[in-house]
Amino acid sequence: MAIISDFEEQDSKPTSSSAAAVSKPFKAVLDPANPLGFLQAVFEFVGRESDLFKSDSLINDVNAVVRMVKDKLVTEERKRKVEAEASNSKAAGKKVKEDVPVVAATAAAKKEEVKEAKGKEVMKEAKEEDKNGSQGPAAPNNNNGLDLENYSWGQSLQEVNVNIPVPAGTKSRFIVCDISRNRLKVGLKGQPPIIDGELYRPVKVDDCFWSLEDQKSISVLLTKKDQMEWWKCCVKGEPEIDTQKAEPESSKLSDLDPETRSTVEKMMFDQRQKSMGLPTSDESQKQEILKKFMAEHPEMDFSKAKIS
């Protein structure tokens, strides 16, 4: 009996190898201002303690989990709103007098009439748009570009600046940005790209770069190959702007060399003339030449002469 007792006591003592196998506890704390930092700590912990990152389908699996949690949160939020609206309606119903159902029915009928009228008006406008074609180009923003749903862009005659909002706390290693001569692709790793399309005009790839601003937005600078032309859009297929309303900053004209400045000022003059239905500088010059030629040759008939 004494021998058995000694054997049991010896077996009950933890060995050094089993003590070393005990994993370190997870100590990261969620900071609402930096949820991605917490997720990074979680993935690092799981990577040390399991074979998760050896899976070939890791990114797809993680994306599926994220989508599942997001859908669950959206469903719960909708459920709470429906319950709150039902509770408010029930509480309000207790205070309504007997004649309120008639008033409510009348109000509902009027609401349906207004809704039907608005629907007819919308359909009429849609038919008019189909008849007359899509609306024209939009007016540019203050940066001679356009503010879109997922990003905004602006331009000068030399460059195009693209600003893409991302979740707060985003690290640069999570960003994917590919700039080629005719194409731009920007997004976050493991997610569909935010921008992925053909550029309006070619760029000088060696003079283009991107940066992460305050861990909340991606800034992309594109240097135009043709620096004498306004872009109608950043990526083909997106809404276009009215380039005749684009204006270079007057403070920057003085920085240009004389030849470039002269070209820019001529282009600005021609744009203003076209917007007012007046001849451009080239057309005015041709008209002057024709008038001079007509004065020198009164014997010729210029009644059918056209300026090309």
Side-chain angles (χ1 to χ4, degrees), residues 15-244:
T15 62
S16 59
S17 61
S18 63
V22 177
S23 62
K24 295 181 180 180
F26 180 72
K27 297 182 179 180
V29 178
L30 174 62
D31 181 4
N34 184 20
L36 291 179
F38 177 78
L39 288 177
Q40 180 180 352
V42 171
F43 286 129
E44 290 176 353
F45 176 80
V46 175
R48 291 196 304 268
E49 302 299 328
S50 70
D51 296 331
L52 177 64
F53 285 85
K54 294 182 180 180
S55 172
D56 295 333
S57 63
L58 172 62
I59 295 178
N60 292 332
D61 295 341
V62 172
N63 285 337
V65 172
V66 171
R67 285 194 297 269
M68 179 185 69
V69 173
K70 183 177 179 181
D71 292 342
K72 183 177 180 181
L73 293 175
V74 171
T75 302
E76 291 177 353
E77 180 65 21
R78 290 177 179 173
K79 184 178 179 181
R80 284 196 296 269
K81 289 183 177 180
V82 171
E83 291 175 351
E85 292 176 357
S87 178
N88 293 336
S89 300
K90 185 177 180 181
K94 294 180 180 179
K95 301 179 182 179
V96 177
K97 298 180 180 180
E98 293 181 357
D99 57 340
V100 167
V102 178
V103 177
T106 304
K110 290 183 178 180
K111 186 176 181 180
E112 287 296 324
E113 290 177 1
V114 172
K115 185 177 180 181
E116 183 178 357
K118 288 184 177 179
K120 291 180 179 179
E121 186 67 23
V122 170
M123 292 188 66
K124 182 179 179 181
E125 292 177 357
K127 289 180 179 179
E128 288 295 328
E129 288 183 5
D130 292 338
K131 182 179 179 180
N132 300 329
S134 59
Q135 296 181 353
N141 58 21
N142 293 334
N143 297 316
N144 294 321
L146 202 59
D147 300 323
L148 302 174
E149 182 178 359
N150 296 327
Y151 71 96
S152 62
W153 66 279
Q155 64 177 320
S156 64
L157 283 171
Q158 294 79 30
E159 301 171 344
V160 173
N161 291 279
V162 185
N163 186 272
I164 309 156
V166 293
T170 298
K171 302 293 181 62
S172 58
R173 61 176 175 272
F174 296 144
I175 296 173
V176 176
C177 184
D178 296 327
I179 305 173
S180 62
R181 184 174 182 271
N182 295 299
R183 195 171 188 86
L184 175 64
K185 181 179 180 181
V186 186
L188 300 177
K189 291 182 179 178
Q191 298 184 20
I194 301 172
I195 300 176
D196 185 10
E198 183 181 356
L199 293 171
Y200 180 73
R201 290 289 184 265
V203 297
K204 299 178 181 179
V205 179
D206 294 339
D207 295 332
C208 300
F209 63 89
W210 67 270
S211 61
L212 179 62
E213 305 292 338
D214 299 327
Q215 294 187 333
K216 62 182 181 180
S217 65
I218 305 172
S219 178
V220 182
L221 184 141
L222 305 172
T223 302
K224 298 179 180 179
K225 187 174 181 62
D226 181 0
Q227 300 189 349
M228 287 292 106
E229 179 185 13
W230 293 111
W231 284 18
K232 293 184 178 180
C233 59
C234 179
V235 176
K236 291 183 177 180
E238 295 285 3
E240 296 184 352
I241 65 168
D242 185 355
T243 54
Q244 291 188 3

